[in-house]
Amino acid sequence: MNIGGVNELLDRTFKLSERGTTVGQELRGGLVTFFAMSYILVLNPIILSTQDSTGHYLGGGTEGANVAAIAAGTALIAGVMSILMGAVANFPMAMAAGLGLNAMLAYTVVSLPGMTWADAMGIVVLEGILILVLVMTGLREAIFRAVPGFLKTAISVGIGLFIALVGLYNAGIIRTGTGTPLDLGINGSIASWPLAVFILGLISIIVLMVKKVRGAILIGIVIATATAIIAEAILNLGPKGNDGSNPTGWGLTVPSLEGSPVSVPEFSTLGAFSITGPFEKISVIAVLVLVFSLMLADFFDTMGTMVAVGSEAKLLDKEGNPPKMRQILAIDSLGAVAGGVGGVSSNTAYIESTTGVADGARSGLASIVTGTLFLLSTFLAPLAGMIPYEAATPALVVVGFLMMQQVAQIDWKDLVVGIPAFLTIVFMPFSYSITVGIGMGFIAYTILAFVDKRKVHPLLWVVDVLFVLYFVRGPIEAALGL
């Protein structure tokens, strides 16, 4: 095989030289992104293992959820959509089942009288089709372009703080406190080997970054994972219990391998959806409320993620827009449809893609690498499951720092700019929601700009109304009996 010819073809196809990257950087970045996202292969089956209102489980009958099938379906859809994102949009942003969206299905939708998992996935498909229509009509892109540049910067900074908090909390270095909302480690101290692994991973990455070592994030993850495997083999720490038991255990994934590293995937969740089912079980208005709630979260989470990834990769134009925006948004919309058809919840853009970008990814080749690893993980799920939270999450904290650097671009002395930017930034981590942060910033800016007699794009007024409806959806759902 002519390696040089392959590299030249990849360079032309993905504009590697133009974007200041190499095949090696893209491979490494795609691998880092996969490591940062691989937790979804464990977490999505856990969340979707809820019994529906008819007593049935996803991918199984009444005995329990088919966890292996959910994991395989999760990996399959994530792999296909990430590869599409890379091949069609040439953007270093991977996709997988969206957290928050899957929780809404598991803890709200399937608990409604008569609703089955197939009905819930039908709602996801409807939501995806609706967003795709908005993309094809140009409305989703128009809304994105109507957002002022400083708000796009604030969104990126807010996401940085958000993912840093996600990393700290998922690693267990920050936990729910007894006398305070949050606390350090175990009763205010670092008192377990998993926490030590997190600290080791974080220190390794930042030291390597200061020394300007290429692949610092990937090397740090590998060091932390190897240490975790050794610690588990010697000490047999086991998992941390959801009920507070074994607080010194691993957060989600125990870094040990039991049995064969290869497993034959089962895809029984594929095709397990019904578009007509929801309308037969609940009212049309109730279905529309559920579709709207999913759509709004999906719509603006992706916008924030796209800005953050593009900004970190230096791919945004002067107005803060990424290249091939319509293709990016179209693939993301198809992800919702594919997730519903695959029976594993709506697939959406993952903010963890910024970890790969921080390690050098600048093109869609990295997303193709990540997607390929997801496809391989349908067979190698045991190996993918060996990477504990504590080894992967230091990357999120480091990326949070990198994204925080953009805060200097905001004119804080202009209150019409500074206050909405501040609300956008603080509401994301404090509400644990990208969508909430964006909504608060949009509404604040529109009000202040109107009061200060500045021009506000008409689309922002429309979006503000939608956000207000989103924020008061609880009373609306209660009035509808949801």
Side-chain angles (χ1 to χ4, degrees), residues 2 43 52 65 73 77 107-108 156-157 164-165 170 191 193 195 246 256-257 287 310 370 372 382 425 428 439 459 463:
N2 186 347
L43 195 54
D52 66 26
I77 302 301
Y107 307 133
T108 301
S156 183
V157 174
L165 177 59
N170 287 347
W193 278 104
L195 295 185
N246 193 25
S256 63
L257 181 63
V287 172
T370 301
T372 301
I425 292 169
M428 283 190 190
L459 280 176
V463 171

Side-chain angles (χ1 to χ4, degrees), residues 357-441:
V357 171
D359 215 37
R362 294 292 182 273
S363 78
L365 181 57
S367 298
I368 292 176
V369 171
T370 301
T372 301
L373 291 171
F374 268 119
L375 294 182
L376 289 175
S377 69
T378 61
F379 298 94
L380 301 174
L383 285 180
M386 287 182 66
I387 305 170
Y389 263 160
E390 293 81 359
T393 50
L396 299 182
V397 178
V398 170
V399 171
F401 158 72
L402 295 174
M403 296 171 66
M404 184 69 188
Q405 293 175 309
Q406 302 172 53
V407 75
Q409 301 175 18
I410 298 172
D411 183 5
W412 295 102
K413 293 182 180 180
D414 183 346
L415 297 186
V416 177
V417 169
I419 291 175
F422 172 75
L423 293 176
T424 299
I425 292 169
V426 298
F427 265 97
M428 283 190 190
F430 294 159
S431 68
Y432 219 69
S433 170
I434 294 173
T435 300
V436 168
I438 293 174
M440 289 297 180

Side-chain angles (χ1 to χ4, degrees), residues 192-270:
S192 71
W193 278 104
L195 295 185
V197 166
F198 171 84
I199 297 297
L200 173 64
L202 182 60
I203 291 175
S204 298
I205 293 173
I206 59 180
V207 168
L208 291 169
M209 287 176 62
V210 169
K211 299 297 290 184
K212 294 181 171 56
V213 175
R214 290 187 176 182
I217 292 178
L218 176 58
I219 294 171
I221 292 174
V222 171
I223 291 173
T225 301
T227 305
I229 292 172
I230 294 171
E232 177 61 24
I234 296 174
L235 302 172
N236 193 26
L237 300 170
K240 182 171 58 182
N242 293 329
D243 57 357
S245 60
N246 193 25
T248 60
W250 302 99
L252 179 64
T253 304
V254 177
S256 63
L257 181 63
E258 296 181 4
S260 172
V262 180
S263 61
V264 178
E266 179 186 348
F267 299 113
S268 62
T269 64
L270 299 186

